[in-house]
Amino acid sequence: MIGIWLAGLVRRRPGRLLAVTAGTAVTVAALASLAVFLTSAKQAMTAQATRRVAVDWQVAVPDPAATDRALRAVRADAGTAAAEPVGLATVPGLAASTRDAGGSVVSQQTASARVLGITAGYAGTFPGELRVLAGTVSLSGPGGPAALLAQQTASNLAARVGDVVRVRRPGLPVLAVTVAGVVDLPQADSLFQRVGAPAGSQPAAPPDNVMLLDLAEWHRAFDPMLAAHPEAVTAQVHVRRDHALPADPAAAFVAATGQARHLEAELAGTVTVGDNLAAALDAARGDALYAEVLFVFLGLPGAVLAAALTVTVAAAGAARRRRERSLLRLRGASPGQVLAVAAAEALLVGVAGAVLGLAGAALVGRAAFGAAAFGATPGAAAGWMAAAAAAGLGLAAAALLGPARRDLRHATVLAGWQQVATAARRTRGPLWARLGLDLAALLGAYAVYRVTSRAGYHLVVVPEGVPTISVSYWAFAGPALLWLGAAGLTWRLVDLLLHRGRRVVAVAVRPVAGRLAGLAAAGARRQRRMLARASVLGCLAIAFAASTAVFNSTYLAQAEVDARLTNGADVTVTEPPSAHAGPADAGRIAAVAGVRGVEPLQHRFAYVGSDLQDLYGVRPATILGAGTLQDAYFDGGTARQLIGRLANAADAILVSAETAHDYQLQPGDALTLRLRDAGTGHTIPVTFHYAGVVKEFPTAPRDSFFVANAGYVATATGDDSVGAYLVSTAGDPHPVAERIRALLGPGPRVTDLTTSRTAVGSSLTAVDLAGLTRVELGLGLLLAVAAGGLVLGLGLDERRRDLTVVAALGARASQVRALVGVDAALVTAATLLAGGMLGAVLSQVLVAVLTGVFDPPPESLATPWPYLAGVALATASGVLGGAAVVSRRAQRQVTANLRQA
Amino acid sequence: MSRVTWRRRGPTVPPGTRRPDRDRAPVVRCEQVSVRFGARTVLDAVCCAVDPGQRVAVMGPSGSGKTTLLHVLAGLQPATGGAVRWPTLGSPAGWAPGTVMVSFQAPSLVASLDAAENVALPLVLAGVPDREARQRALAELAGLDLAGLAAQLPEELSGGQAQRVSLARALAARPVLLLADEPTGQLDGTTGMALVRMLVERAHAAGSALVVATHDPQVQDLLDTRWSISDGRLDAAARR
């Protein structure tokens, strides 16, 4: 019997089966695609985390004499790709006597310093640990011992390449070395960590003074210190691992940690492993959590909406199914047999939908994310696939089997056969409407939003550079309540308008229905529940598409802003510390083809108290014209207003919020910085006056810096040299950067926005939204069209017989179209209006709750008008298309439709 | 092939009223009309004509093709063979709403409109203002003792009530040709006969030609022409 029944369904009611199957497939595909997104995102996080670590392990060897043994053991370990011994010594200080611009000898001394001993191959093995700013990284060669100075150390000593620096050693003669190069240590925090010490006892900042020597020279210099000062001389083995780790960050963290512990155990506790790799993977675990947060906020509503749409599509044929089940009962089928038939239909739809959905998700994953993996491991993939398929089967059961079971329990056979329904006459709203749950949900959403929007999700970057995420799960409730409340309110308003506002509706639809407006409004009043349902689904689909698109556009826009902050301009030319390029040199760059403008930017190091901060000198008259500053970069005024303060008072200075707080600055307060004088080479006090707070500044690598008037700085220090040129281009910056690079040679560093975008796009969160964006925007469009067209079309199709009767009574084709068009127009108007408003509110909520994602936070939302217009157009087309199909069918198959029961 | 058996009785209209004018062109004429659904022939070479004001009973057992014949006469079912013409009305595509009205055998009220709105529907389609259409609809319902059902929805009516509302809708339009398919199918004998009498009177008053499909001999006695149809064939002698 079941086989006959299913065969009959496939032959006679293919549309009905296809509609529910398609809805199930879309739901399964949406869930499975999100699994693919999560998988690819986690894989990317793991890969990026491992890539960013310069030295995977820093194996501390307390007894330097045991370094060779430790080195052998490390190199013999299966996962080690390379290992280099490193010596670390602490000395009382460094000193240098250098000549200033006037030829006078200037002497500088530093406080305690760290001296590292590295091998010749160290820079090549760990390229992320050293970045050469001047000179060479090679420490071997004829002549005396050579050394590399960290950038700040070179600044402290006023030392350049070729200068001699003296190293004070306790109990030993001073060691004189020649500066071979100046380097930047990008990962100084981890390089100088106390290996094995708890997180709370780590140094607050890396050492101010660092020198690097060749390892052999280091041993000659510091081995004699071992006996008298063993605590000042230590050794490490720096290790690069092969990164053969699981794709999932959590699993990779466990594996990496286990490998490090294994080494420690193997060496019987004689070493301690500073596991930088595991620390980075630990942070990636947090990023993975963030990806799951995005999944919940951006992805899950789409899947839930697809499921709701499927249930609604199934409900469109509920009356017919009920009648068929009643017919079965009248013909002698038992309740069990009726349920079996319904279960068979649900199983058919569920299995077909699950298979199609998973196949669709694999295709979508390959197209959107470049991979079709449902999980990082086979087990995870199987789990996700099973979960998505189970969701599809559950959905089919809810849509088809649930109503059958309910009718068997609560409805009589005769009621189902006669389709005694009071739906049209029903004036009593559903329970949730009578209780006002929709209004309560909206109030709850507002309350949760107010409480959590400030604390929602923040990415906290501690100075050591390890990102963590602070999660407030309570913030999930805000958008969820907003969805529910808005759906209910839309239903309430549409129902109210069609029920009580018949005259208003008649007037409103007169342009569509003409003389039939009154009857059409009467009909809409009786069909208001179906129209309200279609409107709610359409509204939610529009809101989903709109909010996702706005969030994604804002995310991309802020990534662009971040790239501009990082790079400074379309093209940025950064002069090396030893260069003395002046503002006049901007002319050479300006002459390059494709350059629209060049803005010089001073860069100095300034001491405030014992802190060393970056100081940027700007030309207030022209910096705004370079187009690199935004109002969001400043606090307490616009960019024009705050830069204007620098123009109005030459000694005005903008400081970071942290500096203003630490020094309790009030507007006009004097702030004395120590800057290096070009003439003497000494640091001299220069007085500024506090004028405001600057939060972000192009090229500023840290959050604490100063912005001052370049002219005042040049006059006070006798140095107008430029730190960087901010270049704006007409068109693609990359070829312009190539031309500038060719012009200036290898000295200055030339970077362009295109390269920075790529670097920033895979930045702190390592979550690439591009793939998710494509999936979500496509799903949003599909749901909007389906919700409007399919739901209304199916509802109208159930009334096909009525429309046929109207046609048989002599209605012209235009009159039949007008009656259908009224319903379509009402649904379209409600969908676009309510959906647009909800989408706007949801966008604000999502951006506010997820504000920690953005760096810097957006000033306003970026609205992708072309996409939104496309969605509106597609929705209206879907609705009108569905209505047109129904209208046509009603007029073409008159006698067949009339024979329908 | 069954023989022609028709009887001509006197009309059930008051004396002195006009008889069907056979000198005027017929309202509808079928010439060798056939209708096939796949391999099944529903109507086979039917020839017939309905004159203005004529009252015809189409008799035949279930499945003989009565409903299909009515649909063909109404222009709702295209003929597979032969020709159907409406000499005084032109092509169905050009008819004003209400020119030819059908009271269907199956429930045919628009579910989302109440009884009065259903009756008013063909009038509104024809361009009658809403207020006038409603007044005429209410009058028509009152004429059939259905005034109390004006605000009821179709699903709240019994089968018989729905059938009578359907007839009221057809009569309200004062059509040139009124086709009623089993109008007494859901009514008891007394009510059904009273309905048909009223139907004949109202059709006559409006000048409408009336074709009633029925298998009830008592109904055919109220109409002045009887056609017999069996297995899709209408006896040639039954045309006039």
Side-chain angles (χ1 to χ4, degrees):
Chain A
M1 173 187 138
I2 290 178
I4 294 171
W5 185 267
L6 288 180
L9 276 181
V10 170
R11 270 203 314 274
R12 301 287 181 210
R13 301 268 188 262
R16 172 172 119 182
L17 280 180
L18 275 174
V20 186
T21 303
T24 306
V26 169
T27 305
V28 171
L31 286 171
S33 295
L34 294 171
V36 175
F37 160 69
L38 274 179
T39 302
S40 72
K42 287 182 179 180
Q43 285 173 339
M45 286 170 205
T46 301
Q48 173 148 324
T50 56
R51 221 171 22 243
R52 283 167 49 198
V53 178
V55 177
D56 294 330
W57 287 352
Q58 288 176 228
V59 181
V61 186
D63 178 9
T67 305
D68 285 343
R69 177 170 168 261
L71 184 63
R72 279 197 301 276
V74 167
R75 282 178 174 161
D77 191 83
T80 297
E84 299 289 345
V86 174
L88 294 100
T90 304
V91 297
L94 306 173
S97 299
T98 59
R99 291 190 183 277
D100 60 18
S104 305
V105 174
V106 176
S107 292
Q108 303 283 358
Q109 288 189 73
T110 72
S112 167
R114 303 294 297 275
V115 182
L116 272 68
I118 59 174
T119 61
Y122 185 90
T125 304
F126 306 104
E129 203 64 77
L130 299 177
R131 187 165 66 89
V132 178
L133 299 178
T136 176
V137 73
S138 173
L139 295 172
S140 60
L148 301 174
L149 290 182
Q151 183 179 36
Q152 183 172 346
T153 311
S155 174
N156 293 343
L157 295 174
R160 300 193 189 95
V161 174
D163 289 342
V164 173
V165 175
R166 297 184 299 279
V167 182
R168 287 190 286 131
R169 297 177 292 171
L172 292 171
V174 169
L175 173 69
V177 296
T178 305
V179 178
V182 177
V183 297
D184 179 32
L185 301 174
Q187 302 204 359
D189 295 312
S190 58
L191 181 61
F192 293 104
Q193 64 179 289
R194 286 200 195 105
V195 176
S201 66
Q202 292 292 341
D208 292 334
N209 302 293
V210 177
M211 173 187 284
L212 294 94
L213 295 177
D214 176 73
L215 186 61
E217 188 59 44
W218 184 90
H219 277 294
R220 279 195 290 274
F222 295 104
D223 282 353
M225 275 173 58
L226 264 173
H229 301 279
E231 75 290 349
V233 181
T234 59
Q236 291 181 0
V237 176
H238 287 190
V239 184
R240 179 161 57 86
R241 303 287 291 172
D242 60 8
H243 298 160
L245 296 167
D248 179 68
F253 170 78
V254 170
T257 306
Q259 291 163 3
R261 298 290 86 80
H262 174 78
L263 181 71
E264 288 175 345
E266 195 179 313
L267 291 173
T270 59
V271 301
T272 306
V273 178
D275 197 347
N276 301 325
L277 180 61
L281 290 170
D282 193 19
R285 291 196 299 177
D287 285 346
L289 177 63
Y290 171 69
E292 290 169 5
V293 167
L294 280 184
F295 157 79
V296 171
F297 275 103
L298 296 184
L300 200 56
V304 171
L305 193 56
L309 192 61
T310 304
V311 171
T312 304
V313 165
R320 188 174 297 176
R321 286 194 186 87
R322 192 178 300 121
R323 193 174 171 82
E324 289 168 357
R325 286 193 292 271
S326 297
L327 187 61
L328 279 177
R329 294 291 305 281
L330 285 171
R331 293 291 183 262
S334 68
Q337 286 175 316
V338 171
L339 267 184
V341 161
E345 184 179 353
L347 187 65
L348 176 65
V349 166
V351 169
V355 169
L356 288 173
L358 289 174
L363 287 174
V364 166
R366 194 167 292 280
F369 309 117
F374 292 103
T377 63
W384 269 109
M385 289 170 69
L393 285 168
L395 180 61
L400 299 173
L401 187 57
R405 202 157 172 271
R406 197 169 49 241
D407 287 343
L408 281 173
R409 287 190 168 191
H410 301 294
T412 63
V413 173
L414 200 58
W417 173 248
Q418 293 179 339
Q419 297 193 56
V420 172
T422 56
R425 183 69 76 192
R426 199 180 297 149
T427 56
R428 211 166 167 230
L431 180 62
W432 62 263
R434 297 200 301 276
L435 295 177
L437 294 182
D438 53 326
L439 303 175
L442 288 174
L443 283 174
Y446 178 70
V448 171
Y449 169 72
R450 285 298 303 267
V451 170
T452 61
S453 62
R454 293 195 188 104
Y457 296 89
H458 290 290
L459 283 152
V460 178
V461 183
V462 297
E464 287 75 24
V466 176
T468 61
I469 183 168
S470 157
V471 177
S472 168
Y473 289 98
W474 184 231
F476 289 139
L481 288 172
L482 180 59
W483 278 107
L484 291 173
L489 183 63
T490 301
W491 191 97
R492 180 189 293 275
L493 292 176
V494 171
D495 184 76
L496 184 67
L497 176 67
L498 295 180
H499 188 206
R500 304 283 182 200
R502 178 175 163 173
R503 293 193 183 178
V504 172
V505 172
V507 169
V509 302
R510 198 165 292 278
V512 176
R515 288 204 188 102
L516 300 178
L519 279 180
R525 177 164 170 257
R526 312 248 169 65
Q527 295 293 317
R528 64 184 184 277
R529 297 288 158 92
M530 182 271 289
L531 296 176
R533 218 166 28 239
S535 300
V536 166
L537 283 170
C539 161
L540 294 180
I542 292 281
F544 169 72
S547 60
T548 306
V550 169
F551 182 89
N552 288 324
S553 292
T554 306
Y555 189 91
L556 291 173
Q558 290 311 107
E560 176 74 11
V561 169
D562 198 7
R564 286 197 172 274
L565 269 177
T566 302
N567 199 60
D570 294 335
V571 177
T572 300
V573 179
T574 305
E575 295 288 344
S578 55
H580 289 283
D585 291 326
R588 289 177 67 207
I589 299 172
V592 172
V595 172
R596 205 172 51 193
V598 182
E599 181 66 24
L601 182 69
Q602 280 182 357
H603 182 221
R604 305 281 185 271
F605 289 109
Y607 288 94
V608 53
S610 60
D611 292 338
L612 184 70
Q613 294 188 19
D614 297 281
L615 170 73
Y616 297 95
V618 302
R619 300 191 302 186
T622 56
I623 184 67
L624 289 170
T628 59
L629 301 182
Q630 291 194 359
D631 292 342
Y633 296 174
F634 301 91
D635 205 7
T638 64
R640 184 168 295 280
Q641 288 169 337
L642 267 73
I643 295 296
R645 295 175 192 173
L646 300 183
N648 294 338
D651 63 351
I653 192 166
L654 306 176
V655 308
S656 66
E658 187 183 347
T659 302
H661 176 267
D662 289 346
Y663 292 91
Q664 294 293 300
L665 294 173
Q666 300 296 327
D669 282 354
L671 180 66
T672 301
L673 307 181
R674 297 200 308 283
L675 301 176
R676 196 172 76 82
D677 179 69
T680 63
H682 294 159
T683 56
I684 57 171
V686 179
T687 301
F688 296 86
H689 289 88
Y690 169 64
V693 170
V694 55
K695 298 183 292 188
E696 304 280 356
F697 197 79
T699 74
R702 286 172 277 273
D703 291 336
S704 285
F705 50 86
F706 302 108
V707 178
N709 188 309
Y712 180 74
V713 172
T715 303
T717 61
D719 180 9
D720 67 350
S721 61
V722 172
Y725 296 95
L726 305 180
V727 182
S728 56
T729 64
D732 186 1
H734 190 67
V736 178
E738 292 294 326
R739 287 194 282 271
I740 294 175
R741 203 172 281 121
L743 172 71
L744 300 179
R749 185 163 62 97
V750 181
T751 55
D752 63 88
L753 193 60
T754 311
T755 312
S756 290
R757 273 197 204 107
T758 309
V760 166
S762 55
S763 64
L764 200 60
T765 65
V767 178
D768 181 8
L769 279 191
L772 182 65
T773 297
R774 282 194 287 274
V775 171
E776 293 300 312
L777 295 184
L779 182 63
L781 188 64
L782 178 65
L783 289 176
V785 173
L790 198 56
V791 175
L792 178 69
L794 286 172
L796 288 174
D797 201 53
E798 291 296 305
R799 291 171 50 206
R800 187 165 17 120
R801 196 170 186 284
D802 287 348
L803 296 169
T804 301
V805 168
V806 172
L809 292 177
R812 295 191 185 85
S814 60
Q815 290 176 315
V816 176
R817 281 197 299 271
L819 287 174
V820 175
V822 163
D823 290 349
L826 289 171
V827 168
T828 302
T831 291
L832 294 181
L833 193 61
M837 290 171 62
L838 178 60
V841 173
L842 256 179
S843 301
Q844 297 279 357
V845 169
L846 283 179
V847 170
V849 171
L850 296 173
T851 193
V853 167
F854 303 101
D855 184 22
E859 290 180 328
S860 59
L861 303 184
T863 307
W865 291 112
Y867 173 79
L868 296 182
V871 168
L873 196 62
T875 302
S877 302
V879 173
L880 295 174
V885 167
V886 171
S887 171
R888 208 171 158 80
R889 285 183 71 183
Q891 295 172 80
R892 280 202 157 177
Q893 301 167 359
V894 172
T895 51
N897 294 337
L898 287 174
R899 288 178 204 278
Q900 272 184 358
Chain B
M1 188 172 75
S2 60
R3 284 178 54 82
V4 172
T5 50
W6 92 86
R7 290 177 295 169
R8 181 170 295 182
R9 285 185 170 262
T12 56
V13 298
T17 53
R18 282 185 66 188
R19 292 176 181 275
D21 187 348
R22 293 193 175 77
D23 295 332
R24 289 166 56 194
V27 175
V28 56
R29 179 191 291 126
C30 291
E31 299 165 358
Q32 297 291 321
V33 166
S34 298
V35 174
R36 294 185 192 86
F37 297 127
R40 191 164 71 92
T41 300
V42 181
L43 290 180
D44 186 8
V46 167
C47 296
C48 61
V50 179
D51 294 322
Q54 188 176 10
R55 292 172 292 280
V56 180
V58 180
M59 298 287 298
S62 294
S64 58
K66 300 190 298 298
T67 298
T68 305
L69 177 61
L70 259 59
H71 288 174
V72 167
L73 295 176
L76 298 175
Q77 174 65 54
T80 316
V84 186
R85 298 184 214 282
W86 297 266
T88 59
L89 302 178
S91 161
W95 295 347
T99 300
V100 175
M101 290 296 289
V102 182
S103 174
F104 299 97
Q105 180 180 15
S108 63
L109 299 181
V110 177
S112 58
L113 301 177
D114 62 26
E117 289 162 349
N118 264 286
V119 174
L121 179 57
L123 302 176
V124 174
L125 290 173
V128 175
D130 286 358
R131 192 186 295 271
E132 181 185 338
R134 184 169 179 81
Q135 285 171 351
R136 283 170 58 176
L138 290 173
E140 207 62 58
L141 287 171
L144 292 175
D145 293 327
L146 296 173
L149 302 178
Q152 301 296 104
L153 291 170
E155 63 200 13
E156 296 167 330
L157 303 174
S158 68
Q161 289 170 334
Q163 191 71 13
R164 286 189 288 162
V165 171
S166 175
L167 276 171
R169 181 177 64 188
L171 289 167
R174 294 188 176 79
V176 175
L177 174 62
L178 174 56
L179 304 142
D181 194 352
E182 301 280 1
T184 61
Q186 302 206 48
L187 302 173
D188 60 83
T190 306
T191 310
M193 292 306 295
L195 178 68
V196 174
R197 284 195 192 90
M198 182 277 310
L199 181 63
V200 170
E201 286 172 14
R202 302 292 290 275
H204 177 81
S208 306
L210 177 63
V211 179
V212 178
T214 181
H215 58 264
D216 186 346
Q218 287 184 307
V219 170
Q220 64 156 328
D221 289 342
L222 298 177
L223 302 163
D224 58 9
T225 305
R226 191 185 79 173
W227 296 347
S228 275
I229 184 168
S230 175
D231 293 331
R233 294 193 194 101
L234 194 70
D235 197 279
R239 278 177 294 173
R240 287 185 183 271

